[in-house]
Amino acid sequence: MSRAPRFRAVPTDLAACLGLAVVLILGWLAYRPGLTGSFLFDDWANLPPLGAHGPVDSWRAVVTYVLSGVASATGRPVAMLSFLIDANNWPAAPEPFKYTNILIHLLNGALLTWLILRLSRTLGVSHARAAWAAVLGAGLWLLHPLMVSTTLFVVQRMAMLAATFVLGGLLCYLQGRRLIAAGRWTGGYLWMTTGIGLFGILAALSKENGALLPLFALVVEWIVLQHPSSSMRNTAPTLGWRVWKTVFLYAPLALLTTYLLAHVPNMLEGYSKVRDFTVGERLLTEGRVVVHYLALLLVPHAYTAGLYDDDIAVSTSLWHPWTTLPAVILILGLLLLGWKVRKRYPILALAIFFYFGGQLLESTFIPLELYFEHRNYLPATMLFYPLAFWLVTAKRPSPWVRTLISIGILAMLGTFTWARATLWGNPFEQAAVWARENPRSPRAQTNLALHWMRRGNYVIAARLLQRASQAHPGNVMIELNLMSAHCRMGRVAPRELERARRALAHSKIGNRVAYNAISRFIHHYKTTQCTGLDLNALDGLVLAALDNPHVRSSRGWLQDMLALRGELRVAQGEPAQAVFLFKESLHTRPRPDAALFEASLLGSAGYPSDGVALLDYFETLPQWSPSGFNVRRLRYLWLKHEGYYSDEIARIRRLLVKDVAEQSQK
């Protein structure tokens, strides 16, 4: 009688790897519809340096480009360098950038799987349970729809790479601690130093919240490695460990704290200049914002506010809005819960402290905007670990039921992410949904109006902007775009000009919007038939901006507005007045790139001798360079070292002198 065949169980490692492969494939399929999307919002501010000085096709061009970051004082050079994977000139197609972002997101999912596996094993969890908890915990994060607004928002590769290096740094740190526990001190310290030192620098130079890596390591050390069940508890050598911990964990955090405290005066000035809320109001408001983030993470939605949730009501006290105090109480309660359960439920405590630690820079007192979904990308990496661990290890319900629940949650998240990525792949539909989800958002309404204008439907665009203007009187972005919509229809009414003037005269923000809009009006003036918006009317808009005390107090904004008046005089055929205004602009801030642009503008308009005179005047001014130690100053010093400015001034001068000679011959 023959025996029934035996089926061998699939080894845990192979099964877990297959499970991770399935999760990564699902992630790719869910995000793939978003590849057809467009550049958005901050993409337009951060990516044009790819072509600012021609193609990035030599090592000198690479250095110049990497030093061209505008996102922060560091310029985030690691993230900037990564964009060269996708293009070396500008304009460029968005699809390669989004493709790379998706691959980085999948890489982060794999790194998170590995990290959760190591943490679980450190806590004494069996290998099989640890492996499946890792796959599930990382999968819940990877497939969560809230991560779409980071992954498919090209410029937020900065946040993604910071997460990559933080996860890699923590893995190196755990490997080093494991070696130290085994008595291999040299190798252990080398791994930990590489993880916290090298990976920490790379993380911080991708985005500033990467500087929190030492804090994350301390949280892991405190909650996981020193837990009673940990295999590494009290295994670090006393003196060497204390010295290393001071140098690589406490000292970087102390330096970061000192840096932030030293810049408090500048931050307070930033609040007064560009924000409509105080530091106290921001702290109160961020309590509500962070609770809203948690609600979106714990109760996923296919569609959310996206990038344009700029209609957050500011908390002016603990009682206004009324949700402020409950939000603050909830956050304090969660932190207390994490403290109380750190011994019994270390994974839950880790998720709580990791999340709130990750929000310390972007969601506290630094004068950033109030709300952005991408601020959850790194903090939320551990948030689903407790749920995954429970689904893998709980005694009830039965394993089959827990498996079905796990698959169901992953399928739901993947479906939501696919729906949201599909929306991101259709720019017009995306703009319409965001405008519907954010009826009080100036940016969302303006974004949809601009899409209608690109389709040639200026009537609908004007109607949208008119409603937005009534809801947000004095908003520079709305008023200038409303004026543009009416101009495309042939006529700008006096009342529309007056609203734009008032907005320019009083708004704290919108200088760059104003400069770009008015510059476009000037550029297209001769080809656009627009009754009511002639060069004199544009000059009135610039004068209104110059009357704005916020513009007058900023040398950069003041220079821009004076330069715009000069451009207007060139367009009006008044070169002498243009030179006078350009000189005044350069005297405010003698930037060589501004002098080159203005001299070239005069030459191309048929006034080369005035362009030469402007260059002569510029060379009499004291040399200017950006203040402080930041990437803008480094870029200036680099270009100066390379002789870029002197060579460009000499080249433009030769061209202008040649034009002067040709004019004299005629």
Side-chain angles (χ1 to χ4, degrees):
M1 186 175 178
S2 61
R3 289 183 175 182
R6 288 185 176 182
F7 295 96
R8 292 184 179 180
V10 178
T12 298
D13 288 342
L14 177 59
C17 287
L18 290 173
L20 176 60
V22 169
V23 168
L24 294 177
I25 291 170
L26 288 175
W28 166 254
L29 294 174
Y31 274 96
R32 194 171 184 275
L35 289 172
T36 56
S38 59
F39 291 118
L40 291 161
F41 200 35
D42 284 349
D43 291 340
W44 299 106
N46 289 273
L47 297 178
L50 281 164
H53 296 276
V56 185
D57 54 6
S58 68
W59 75 268
R60 288 185 174 86
V62 169
V63 174
T64 301
Y65 160 70
V66 167
L67 293 175
S68 299
V70 298
S72 70
T74 68
R76 303 174 183 175
V78 172
M80 293 293 288
L81 192 62
S82 77
F83 292 130
L84 291 176
I85 297 171
D86 312 302
N88 70 338
N89 208 340
W90 187 261
E95 184 171 344
F97 293 86
K98 293 177 183 286
Y99 183 89
T100 302
N101 274 24
I102 295 172
L103 293 181
I104 293 172
H105 185 54
L106 298 180
L107 170 63
N108 287 343
L111 290 173
L112 181 58
T113 305
W114 191 4
L115 179 59
I116 293 176
L117 172 64
R118 298 297 298 273
L119 291 171
S120 297
R121 293 293 291 140
T122 300
L123 288 170
V125 180
S126 68
H127 185 72
R129 289 182 169 184
W132 284 112
V135 171
L136 182 56
L140 294 173
W141 175 83
L142 179 75
L143 293 173
H144 199 288
L146 198 66
M147 305 308 151
V148 171
S149 58
T150 305
T151 306
L152 293 179
F153 186 9
V154 171
V155 77
Q156 286 312 319
R157 183 179 302 178
M158 298 170 176
M160 299 175 71
L161 286 174
T164 303
F165 293 118
V166 166
L167 294 171
L170 290 174
L171 282 166
C172 290
Y173 178 79
L174 288 174
Q175 173 67 5
R177 287 288 279 113
R178 187 184 69 81
L179 292 175
I180 286 176
R184 298 166 61 183
W185 296 1
T186 302
Y189 284 128
L190 183 60
W191 272 100
M192 290 194 303
T193 301
T194 300
I196 303 301
L198 177 60
F199 279 65
I201 291 171
L202 292 173
L205 293 180
S206 297
K207 191 173 182 179
E208 288 70 25
N209 57 356
L212 294 172
L213 174 57
L215 176 64
F216 293 133
L218 285 170
V219 169
V220 169
E221 180 71 35
W222 169 49
I223 295 176
V224 177
L225 304 190
Q226 294 305 317
H227 191 267
S229 64
S230 170
S231 58
M232 300 182 195
R233 189 183 186 195
N234 298 324
T235 55
T238 304
L239 180 59
W241 168 241
R242 287 179 179 173
V243 171
W244 187 92
K245 197 174 182 181
T246 299
V247 172
F248 287 96
L249 298 182
Y250 292 126
L253 292 174
L255 287 173
L256 176 61
T257 303
T258 303
Y259 174 84
L260 293 173
L261 290 175
H263 284 75
V264 165
N266 291 335
M267 291 182 194
L268 293 177
E269 185 181 1
Y271 276 104
S272 65
K273 282 187 175 181
V274 299
R275 299 298 176 210
D276 292 322
F277 46 82
T278 66
V279 61
E281 289 171 340
R282 187 180 200 277
L283 286 169
L284 290 174
T285 308
E286 285 303 311
R288 292 171 34 240
V289 168
V290 169
V291 168
H292 183 64
Y293 291 155
L294 286 170
L296 291 177
L297 286 163
L298 299 178
V299 184
H301 294 69
Y303 304 118
T304 63
L307 302 185
Y308 298 123
D309 200 341
D310 53 330
D311 57 342
I312 300 291
V314 174
S315 293
T316 56
S317 71
L318 284 170
W319 298 272
H320 184 77
W322 70 268
T323 51
T324 305
L325 181 59
V328 172
I329 292 173
L330 177 60
I331 291 172
L332 294 176
L334 287 172
L335 291 171
L336 180 61
L337 174 66
W339 172 266
K340 289 288 188 181
V341 305
R342 69 190 188 281
K343 295 291 179 64
R344 188 174 181 183
Y345 302 110
I347 293 172
L348 176 60
L350 176 67
I352 291 172
F353 285 106
F354 202 97
Y355 180 80
F356 286 110
Q359 295 288 0
L360 278 176
L361 286 183
E362 293 183 297
S363 299
T364 52
F365 63 91
I366 297 176
L368 304 171
E369 294 196 38
L370 292 172
Y371 183 107
F372 275 118
E373 290 177 358
H374 61 253
R375 292 174 184 168
N376 293 278
Y377 189 82
L378 174 58
T381 47
M382 292 291 167
L383 200 60
F384 307 104
Y385 183 13
L387 174 61
F389 187 78
W390 177 80
L391 285 169
V392 169
T393 62
K395 294 181 179 179
R396 294 180 181 178
S398 67
W400 280 107
V401 173
R402 286 184 277 115
T403 300
L404 290 174
I405 292 173
S406 301
I407 293 172
I409 294 174
L410 289 173
M412 176 193 69
L413 293 175
T415 302
F416 283 0
T417 294
W418 174 83
R420 201 169 183 201
T422 301
L423 181 68
W424 276 71
N426 187 331
F428 181 80
E429 184 181 349
Q430 180 186 52
V433 169
W434 284 354
R436 187 182 69 240
E437 293 285 324
N438 302 279
R440 298 185 304 275
S441 165
R443 284 179 184 156
Q445 303 307 311
T446 303
N447 181 49
L448 179 57
L450 290 173
H451 275 277
W452 279 115
M453 288 169 69
R454 292 187 194 107
R455 293 186 166 205
N457 198 325
Y458 306 116
V459 174
I460 293 180
R463 192 180 304 144
L464 282 167
L465 291 166
Q466 185 66 49
R467 287 201 298 265
S469 175
Q470 293 170 359
H472 302 279
N475 185 289
V476 170
M477 174 179 59
I478 293 172
E479 299 302 344
L480 290 178
N481 280 293
L482 177 58
M483 195 171 67
S484 177
H486 282 289
C487 193
R488 297 294 183 90
M489 291 188 285
R491 183 177 183 274
V492 174
R495 64 178 180 277
E496 289 148 8
L497 271 174
E498 182 57 30
R499 283 201 303 265
R501 277 195 291 264
R502 284 200 302 268
L504 288 165
H506 299 289
S507 178
K508 279 188 178 182
I509 57 177
N511 174 67
R512 182 49 50 184
V513 172
Y515 180 87
N516 291 336
I518 297 173
S519 184
R520 282 195 300 270
F521 283 132
I522 297 170
H523 181 71
H524 296 294
Y525 171 72
K526 291 183 179 179
T527 58
T528 304
Q529 298 297 322
C530 182
T531 304
L533 189 65
D534 57 15
L535 294 176
N536 288 328
L538 291 173
D539 193 43
L541 294 177
V542 179
L543 284 172
L546 286 169
D547 285 337
N548 189 323
H550 302 293
V551 172
R552 303 295 298 184
S553 64
S554 169
R555 294 174 67 186
W557 290 8
L558 181 59
Q559 182 189 40
D560 285 346
M561 292 301 116
L562 289 170
L564 268 182
R565 288 205 79 201
E567 289 185 45
L568 280 164
R569 292 296 178 267
V570 172
Q572 289 173 320
E574 300 177 4
Q577 283 295 314
V579 170
F580 175 81
L581 288 164
F582 285 149
K583 286 181 177 179
E584 192 175 355
S585 168
L586 291 172
H587 180 75
T588 302
R589 196 170 60 159
R591 288 170 39 231
D593 49 344
L596 287 165
F597 171 76
E598 291 157 4
S600 300
L601 182 66
L602 286 163
S604 62
Y607 312 115
S609 60
D610 295 292
V612 173
L614 185 64
L615 289 179
D616 291 340
Y617 171 77
F618 173 75
E619 293 184 337
T620 67
L621 297 173
Q623 287 194 351
W624 172 89
S625 67
S627 59
F629 183 75
N630 52 52
V631 71
R632 293 171 183 82
R633 181 170 176 79
L634 290 176
R635 179 176 180 273
Y636 172 83
L637 294 174
W638 164 256
L639 290 175
K640 185 179 178 182
H641 168 74
E642 288 292 298
Y644 171 79
Y645 291 123
S646 57
D647 290 349
E648 277 296 288
I649 288 173
R651 184 180 70 85
I652 296 299
R653 182 184 291 277
R654 285 195 301 271
L655 292 173
L656 292 171
V657 168
K658 180 181 177 183
D659 288 346
V660 170
E662 290 177 354
Q663 281 186 350
S664 63
Q665 290 176 0
K666 292 179 181 179

